[in-house]
Every structure is written in structure tokens, then in C-alpha cells.
Amino acid sequence: MKLVVVGGVAGGASAAARVRRLDAKAEIVVFERGHDVSFSNCCLPYHLSGDVPNADSLVLMTPEAFKKQHDIEVRTNSEVVAINREAHTVTVHDLVADKTYEEAYDKLVLAPGAAPILPRSIEGIDRDNVFVVRNVTDIRALKAYCDKPETERVAVVGGGFIGIEVAENLVRAGKTVSLIEGLDQVLAPYDHDMVQTLHKELDDNGVDLHLQTTVTAVEDGCVKVSMTDGTTGEIPADAVVMAVGVAPETKLASEAGLTIGETRGIRVDHDFRTSDPDIYAVGDAVELYDALAHKPGRLALAGPAQWAARAAADSIYGIPSRNQGFIGSSCIRVFSQNAACTGLNERAARAAGYSFDSVLVYPTDKVGLMPESHYMGFKLIFEVPTGKVLGAQAIGKGDVTQRIDVVATLISMGGTLEDLKSVELCYSPVFGTAKDVVNMAALVALNVLNGRYRQVHVDEVRGLVESGAYIVDVREPHEFAAGHLNGAHNVPLSQLRERMDEIPRDIPVYLHCRSSQRSYYAICCLQGNGYNNVVNISGSYLGISLYEYYEDKRLGRTPIMDAYNFN
């Protein structure tokens, strides 16, 4: 059996290696258009700061190593320009020798990946100081340009994962960095309330963040931009990194007559077989199945590319695979903050037609007595009334990925809040708390789902303050004095039973503390004494501070509090 693979890295190289493990005698040929067939594309931005000091170390396997270790023939600088389905051949352009030839196949695996988007509407997009980050050649070129003494200011266009990582590493390399994003937030997989913590972190570390801003031209020493309010301006830039997204490379498949899906990815079946039974496709160019939205989708991540590659290789040899679709788990570091998410955010849940709610908690990531104990913002999204877990987001200085991995596992198994409430996890004071963050979030969510109390979300608080709503702050007097919501009434939990008569019964009363724990205790006390008009503010003062701070600064609006509290 002769297997031809088009494209390397996570998808193509993994499919070729799996076939070799299944069949010691198969003839395997991998064509890669670039110079390197197997490299750590996820680590590319970290070469800019020197975390990965040598670009050569980004290359994981050379063609020589593939041949010696796996008896796989790899031909780099070789672009497959056509698929001849009836003849079972591909047309290959040797980019070094500038010659074209045919290569036969029995089975063909396409892993062409996705290309960075370079909008042709941007004047000057082809200038030599405009870069993308896709492969080792790209990152070598960008670092060499940024290492020039005259390159001091860099504009990164796009606030997705690549844009954020490039921006952080350039700041750590000593550059003055502007980050330009067309939406009103970076990192679209996170909800607007959660991502404000990361906006603050970028701002605190010197990143000049421009939201709701698009680039219209690249000129000498600057980029011209346009804002959503119709104003225009210039942002200083000696170099520009384009990271506005990627588009699946489907030209080869489309010209061969293979079916392209509604998301513009190559359509595949359960086993990643295309509309041609002898051609498979894996990786960023493929249309997958969104298991929670119940519709086709695309996911440009290394993990899904690898399990797709294994499933395709197995299918070639008649080995069945279970295709559960994707739920979209990812993580990123933003300076001192770690962020992770899985499943649907609120926008996606709404678009998918779910009836849902969410809770936002700020527990500590380990026992508070332990060194390096920090709060963690954790948002849990669940279906109403079933309690099915739909998604989660976590941001903090500690181990957020562990918590999101737990939820991702639960979502993959169709789990509910009841399952998450009682899931047994490891515990030691140096690693977590006896009632872990995920258990705590599930318990809070169950209280909301079961009607134990009512809540409002942090994005509703500004409206409450500005409308003169009756807000009770149950923190201690010294905490209240250090910062409080405008017009709030301070009735500490420790004095609540003696001062209960001060709280009205005939109008809605909104309670908060620092993280919603003490305000929950106060809600229980008041409800137990006949109050049915009390509402908890999800996230409380810490969550409100994190939500309001950067937007107040960006929009120049009047704060709804006399001082922020981030501790």
C-alpha cells in the first residue's frame, strides 16, 4: 500500500507515523511545501522573547530523522499543485529544482492547514515590515527584523491566541507593543465579563490595547486605523504582525472536485474520509462537528488535528474510531494570568438556541494559608432546566487548566451540575482546596438552578447603581472604607442579625461582599427571616472591579465605585 500525505506538522506527520505503526511495509511519502515538515508551531511566538532561544530547536523532526526512525520519505520544498483522482496521482512542483512530476498513491491524506489572513483591503499589506507567524521561517524573519536597533515599536493586529502570545513575547523582548483588535474584546472564546481581567493584565504590562479598531493602511512608521465610532488615527509602528485569523487551505481539494462544507472547510465523514473514498483530510483545513452547537464547525488546534490524523490512519486499515466532534478546549498565558476555557461561552450558547444561565465565582486556587495562593475567576455555564454543563472559563495566576480539563471531561461525557458537584478530586493544601473550585462553582450553580436564591450578573450592576437600586455591602467597615459602590449601604454580615430592620422588605435589595460567599450567607439569613426580595450579585466587589476597571479607562466613563479592589 502506498500512502501519500500532503502537508506535515500535527496532522500530516501524525497520520504518516500512525500508518507506519500499523503497517511496517507500506510505502509512505510526505510532501511539505515549506522548509520544515515537523515543528512546534505552538511555540513559535516564544522565540521572540528568548524563551526558546534557538529557532533550530523548534524543528522537531527532519526528513533524515523521519527516514531513519520510521522509514518515511519526506520531501520538503515540494508543493502538491493538483490531484488526479482517476489516475490516483498527484502533481508535485519541486520548488528548489523548479520542476513538476507525478506521484502515484493508493490512499491520500490531505493536511494543507490554514493560511494567515492578509486582507487585501489594507493598503501596504505587502510591505517588507509586515509579518505573519505560521512556520519557523516566518518567526526567524520576524525576530531578525525586531532585533534591529531601529525596530522599537511593533503593532500586532488581531487579539486572538497568536496575537496575544506575540504581543506578550515582544513586550518581554523590550519592544513597545500596540495590540489592535476589531471587536470590543480580545480572545473571542471568552465572555466579555471574563476577558476584562485579561484586558487589565495587558494594560498593566504596557500593551497599548486598541479595541473596536481596524487597520486601513500600513505606512512608514505607522499604521492607519479606523474606529467603530467613525474616527480615524495613526498608531506608531516600525513593524506589523498580522494575526487576524486563518483561512482553511482548500484550493487543492476544491480543484480536485472534493466537497467543501458550509464553513469553507473540507467536508469529511466520521472517519475523516472526503467525498472521494481514497482521500482523507485532517487538520485545520477540515470541517468538523461541533458537538455542543450540533452543527458543522472548524477548530484550528493541534490536539484535534492529531486525533483526526490517528482516526484517518486507522480507517485506512479498517480500525473503527469514535468521533464525538469537538467541544473547543484551549488555554493561554497572558503575562501573570493564566486562562483556559472549554465548551460554549454565553454568545455561542445563545446562538445555538440553548436556555441557559451562568455563575461566576472567585474562590482561592489553593488553601489561603499557603504561599502563592490566589483568587481564580471561574465561570460555569449550564443548561436550564436540565443542569447539563455547557461550558466553563477560568482565569487566574494558578492552575486554571486543571480545573477546565475536569469540566471538559465532564462535558464530553454529557455531565450535569450534580455530577460536577460531587466529582472526587485530589486535594492537598499546596494544590487546591478540599472543596475545589469546580465543586464550588457547581454548588453555586445548583443553588441558582434550584431557585435557592436569585442573582444578577456583573454586567448588570452598572445599571443598578445608576438607577439608584438599593445595594447592601456586607463586608466589614474597613473593607467598605477601602472602596465601595456608589450609594451602597454597609451592613456587615457580623452585624446583620442586630441591624436586620434597616433592610427594606418592600423593594428589591441587592447584596454583595468581596467574592459572593458572605453575601450568600446574608441571603440565607434574610430569607430565613422572611425576606423574599433579596438578590445576590454574582462575582461581588472583586468581580465588579475587574469587570468595570478597563472599560472605565478605555471609554473614559464615570466609575460606579469610589475605588477598585483587585485583592
Side-chain angles (χ1 to χ4, degrees):
M1 198 279 292
K2 183 175 180 179
L3 172 72
V4 168
V5 179
V6 180
V9 201
S14 296
R18 175 62 175 169
V19 166
R20 172 56 72 227
R21 293 194 298 274
L22 294 173
D23 187 347
K25 296 183 179 180
E27 181 181 355
I28 305 172
V29 181
V30 178
F31 293 104
E32 168 57 44
R33 178 174 52 195
H35 183 266
D36 304 296
V37 67
S38 179
F39 57 91
S40 181
N41 49 355
C42 298
C43 289
L44 292 175
Y46 298 92
H47 180 50
L48 298 172
S49 63
D51 277 0
V52 179
N54 189 344
D56 291 340
S57 61
L58 292 165
V59 179
L60 303 177
M61 288 280 284
T62 64
E64 294 76 17
F66 263 107
K67 186 64 177 176
K68 289 180 179 179
Q69 295 185 26
H70 303 295
D71 192 24
I72 294 173
E73 183 178 354
V74 173
R75 303 178 197 171
T76 57
N77 300 303
S78 298
E79 181 178 10
V80 174
V81 295
I83 302 170
N84 314 300
R85 291 167 56 187
E86 290 188 8
H88 269 60
T89 65
V90 294
T91 304
V92 184
H93 180 204
D94 185 327
L95 300 175
V96 175
D98 193 22
K99 67 176 183 178
T100 300
Y101 63 94
E102 303 292 307
E103 188 78 24
Y105 68 84
D106 294 314
K107 299 291 183 181
L108 178 65
V109 174
L110 302 178
I117 296 172
L118 291 170
R120 310 316 300 178
S121 60
I122 299 176
E123 184 181 345
I125 194 69
D126 295 322
R127 293 173 67 104
D128 61 5
N129 66 332
V130 178
F131 299 88
V132 297
V133 176
R134 185 183 188 184
N135 53 42
V136 179
T137 301
D138 292 337
I139 207 67
R140 287 184 196 271
L142 174 58
K143 181 165 174 56
Y145 197 92
C146 288
D147 284 347
K148 295 178 180 180
E150 61 268 27
T151 306
E152 299 177 352
R153 305 161 302 179
V154 184
V156 180
V157 185
F161 290 94
I162 296 297
I164 296 286
E165 290 172 345
V166 167
E168 176 183 342
N169 282 278
L170 286 172
V171 168
R172 294 172 59 214
K175 303 302 175 183
T176 299
V177 178
S178 298
L179 181 61
I180 304 167
E181 169 56 50
L183 301 176
D184 63 353
Q185 68 167 78
V186 300
L187 297 172
Y190 295 83
D191 281 318
H192 193 255
D193 53 359
M194 290 295 288
V195 84
Q196 299 307 322
T197 301
L198 302 181
H199 289 168
K200 177 181 182 298
E201 185 71 8
L202 290 164
D203 184 66
D204 288 350
N205 283 275
V207 176
D208 186 16
L209 181 58
H210 298 264
L211 300 176
Q212 296 179 301
T213 303
T214 56
V215 173
T216 57
V218 180
E219 298 186 351
D220 287 332
C222 74
V223 294
K224 288 189 173 295
V225 296
S226 173
M227 279 68 81
T228 53
D229 62 4
T231 59
T232 59
E234 294 182 355
I235 298 173
D238 304 311
V240 179
V241 181
M242 295 300 299
V244 297
V246 296
E249 294 224 41
T250 58
K251 182 173 182 289
L252 182 66
S254 178
E255 290 180 349
L258 301 179
T259 303
I260 305 301
E262 62 187 74
T263 64
R264 295 180 292 116
I266 303 171
R267 182 174 292 173
V268 293
D269 68 7
H270 173 93
D271 294 313
F272 298 92
R273 185 185 288 109
T274 69
S275 51
D276 186 311
D278 292 325
I279 303 177
Y280 294 76
V282 300
D284 297 353
V286 170
E287 180 175 86
L288 303 172
Y289 178 69
D290 187 327
L292 291 170
H294 306 297
K295 64 179 183 180
R298 289 190 290 109
L299 190 66
L301 293 175
Q306 291 196 351
W307 57 250
R310 183 183 180 93
D314 284 353
S315 176
I316 291 172
Y317 287 88
I319 301 171
S321 298
R322 182 181 180 188
N323 189 333
Q324 300 183 88
F326 69 86
I327 60 173
S329 303
S330 61
C331 58
I332 188 173
R333 185 191 72 191
V334 184
F335 294 99
S336 68
Q337 295 285 345
N338 304 313
C341 63
T342 189
L344 301 177
N345 59 24
E346 289 193 358
R347 294 187 306 278
R350 190 173 296 111
Y354 281 99
S355 171
F356 68 93
D357 203 347
S358 67
V359 294
L360 176 59
V361 296
Y362 284 91
T364 56
D365 53 16
K366 62 185 69 172
V367 172
L369 295 173
M370 291 292 104
E372 301 300 317
S373 173
H374 302 285
Y375 68 79
M376 179 184 297
F378 191 93
K379 183 173 186 176
L380 187 62
I381 301 168
F382 54 93
E383 186 179 35
V384 177
T386 66
K388 180 181 177 181
V389 178
L390 299 177
Q393 301 158 44
I395 298 175
K397 295 184 177 181
D399 191 351
V400 298
T401 58
Q402 169 196 331
R403 275 68 184 212
I404 293 300
D405 284 343
V406 170
V407 179
T409 302
L410 195 82
I411 290 175
S412 297
M413 301 175 70
T416 66
L417 296 175
E418 288 288 349
D419 299 315
L420 189 57
K421 173 192 74 172
S422 55
V423 65
E424 182 181 347
L425 303 171
C426 298
Y427 164 64
S428 166
V430 298
F431 294 115
T433 54
K435 190 183 293 178
D436 192 75
V437 173
V438 297
N439 302 125
M440 178 71 72
L443 288 167
V444 173
L446 281 168
N447 280 338
V448 172
L449 180 67
N450 295 330
R452 298 292 298 171
Y453 69 83
R454 292 175 294 155
Q455 66 170 0
V456 294
H457 300 286
V458 290
D459 60 355
E460 301 175 79
V461 176
R462 173 168 285 271
L464 294 175
V465 173
E466 292 176 342
S467 65
Y470 199 96
I471 298 175
V472 175
D473 186 332
V474 303
R475 295 176 299 158
E476 294 303 307
H478 71 277
E479 296 175 276
F480 185 83
H484 58 267
L485 293 173
N486 300 338
H489 306 266
N490 185 212
V491 182
L493 178 64
S494 59
Q495 303 173 21
L496 178 62
R497 286 165 178 81
E498 293 77 28
R499 299 176 56 185
M500 195 175 300
D501 289 344
E502 298 178 24
I503 298 176
R505 294 176 179 268
D506 57 344
I507 58 173
V509 176
Y510 302 91
L511 284 81
H512 76 83
C513 56
R514 173 187 171 273
S515 64
S516 292
Q517 186 176 49
R518 282 174 287 175
S519 57
Y520 166 62
Y521 296 156
I523 291 274
C524 291
C525 176
L526 290 168
Q527 289 182 158
N529 282 275
Y531 285 79
N532 57 14
N533 59 326
V534 289
V535 183
N536 202 26
I537 297 178
S538 179
S540 276
Y541 202 76
L542 177 56
I544 299 166
S545 295
L546 290 167
Y547 179 72
E548 292 286 323
Y549 170 78
Y550 182 75
E551 288 293 274
D552 288 350
K553 181 176 181 178
R554 178 174 79 95
L555 300 174
R557 66 188 185 186
T558 302
I560 59 172
M561 53 188 63
D562 64 352
Y564 306 100
N565 186 331
F566 305 119
N567 300 313

